Amino acid sequence: MSRVALVTGGSRGIGAAISIALKGAGYRVAATYAGNEERAQAFTEVTGIPAYQWDVSDYAACASGIARVEAEIGPIEILVNNAGITRDAMFHKMTPEQWSSVIDTNLTGLFNMTHPVWCGMRDRNFGRVINISSINAQKGQMGQVNYSASKAGDLGFTKALAQEGAAKGITVNAICPGYIGTEMVRAIPEKVLTERIIPQIPVGRLGEPEEIARCVLFLASDDASFITGSTLSANGGQFFV
Ligand code: CAA
């Protein structure tokens, strides 16, 4: 029987590419989405991948949603923590709500999603947790104090949890995408994107969601069993750690 993978935020953007790539590689895949039901239904119709709605910033919703996925599809062996939001603003204009919504989703969401699957992974002596962080965790980004802090937190989470999972056959890794051509990036003011950001990318273009999906496929595979606690950067040469 093929392995079960759950991708948060898996019906749009990078997450959709990840869901589709995992299905193409033979995994049984489920996706979560936060609120865009119309897009999620269209995604399921086209791909055949079931999409479940819950908010990753809500622990109880994650626990019950995961229980439902496991009852309907099977124990989750691969968890891709991809769901993330931006609420960009210069720090002097940033509101407490913009701070806490980003931290709650992008950082606390990793706890909320990983904690309910962790004991099962330990019991089965196998697991893959793949956290989608960001180049802006590594280099910081003006206008994104909240987002950069949350995504840097994801890297600490990854490195600490990797040490706990190692003896139980569970790997925990992070991917740091650079600027990828998704709705999130296209929401950046056009002038900022073309004049400030793209010129900073040595390959001269935004990345494709599928380029991140291929990183996930590798980290999910048995070939990657010796890789844990690592950060895989895919950013077109924009930043070297
Ligand atoms: N890189 C370089 N310069 C930037 C910048 C960026 N990413 N974002 C803003 N600036 C510059 C602007 O060009 C502007 O410079 P000038 O005054 O010299 O023209 C200055 O900062 C102030 O910007 P705004 O005039 O736009 O100020 P604002 O208060 O109206 O808006 C903002 C500020 C909301 C941060 C807006 O500029 C913005 O959305 N910037 C993009 C921030 C960003 O890079 N977000 C990444 C989103 S994609 C993502 O997060 C995915 C991922 O993981 C990579």
Side-chain angles (χ1 to χ4, degrees):
M1 195 71 134
S2 55
R3 288 186 170 137
V4 174
L6 180 64
V7 183
T8 67
S11 65
R12 291 200 292 147
I14 292 174
I18 294 169
S19 300
I20 291 165
L22 286 166
K23 185 177 181 200
Y27 294 89
R28 286 177 288 153
V29 182
T32 78
Y33 67 101
N36 195 330
E37 193 164 346
E38 200 179 314
R39 288 285 297 277
Q41 276 175 4
F43 169 82
T44 299
E45 270 168 35
V46 171
T47 63
I49 297 169
Y52 296 78
Q53 183 182 10
W54 73 78
D55 177 354
V56 299
S57 72
D58 178 340
Y59 184 86
C62 291
S64 63
I66 285 166
R68 196 174 144 214
V69 171
E70 294 201 321
E72 291 176 8
I73 304 181
I76 292 158
E77 292 158 294
I78 289 112
L79 172 65
V80 184
N81 284 313
N82 165 77
I85 60 169
T86 53
R87 295 289 181 268
D88 294 356
M90 296 305 225
F91 188 64
H92 61 281
K93 299 183 194 168
M94 188 173 285
T95 64
E97 198 283 330
Q98 286 173 319
W99 169 263
S100 52
S101 60
V102 168
I103 298 293
D104 291 351
T105 299
N106 298 4
L107 177 56
T108 308
L110 265 61
F111 176 85
N112 294 344
M113 283 300 303
T114 310
H115 197 256
V117 301
W118 190 249
C119 288
M121 288 181 174
R122 280 171 54 87
D123 290 345
R124 293 186 298 273
N125 277 297
F126 180 84
R128 295 279 186 269
V129 178
I130 301 165
N131 300 319
I132 308 300
S133 177
S134 167
I135 185 175
N136 293 341
Q138 298 169 304
K139 71 174 185 60
Q141 175 57 55
M142 63 190 297
Q144 287 201 307
V145 167
N146 51 1
Y147 184 88
S148 298
S150 69
K151 293 290 184 176
D154 293 346
L155 298 182
F157 176 99
T158 299
K159 292 172 193 175
L161 192 60
Q163 295 176 42
E164 297 193 16
K168 292 285 183 185
I170 308 167
T171 67
V172 186
N173 290 291
I175 297 170
C176 283
Y179 283 75
I180 309 299
T182 60
E183 287 167 44
M184 182 184 274
V185 167
R186 305 233 180 251
I188 296 171
E190 180 64 21
K191 199 169 149 61
V192 173
L193 189 60
T194 54
E195 291 179 14
R196 300 284 194 146
I197 294 174
I198 294 178
Q200 301 298 319
I201 307 174
V203 303
R205 64 171 175 86
L206 299 175
E208 299 291 336
E210 292 73 19
E211 292 177 305
I212 304 306
R214 289 194 285 275
C215 298
V216 172
L217 279 190
F218 172 61
L219 290 173
S221 72
D222 287 348
D223 289 340
S225 58
F226 199 58
I227 300 173
T228 194
S230 76
T231 301
L232 178 53
S233 298
N235 62 34
Q238 190 181 352
F239 188 75
F240 304 121
V241 181

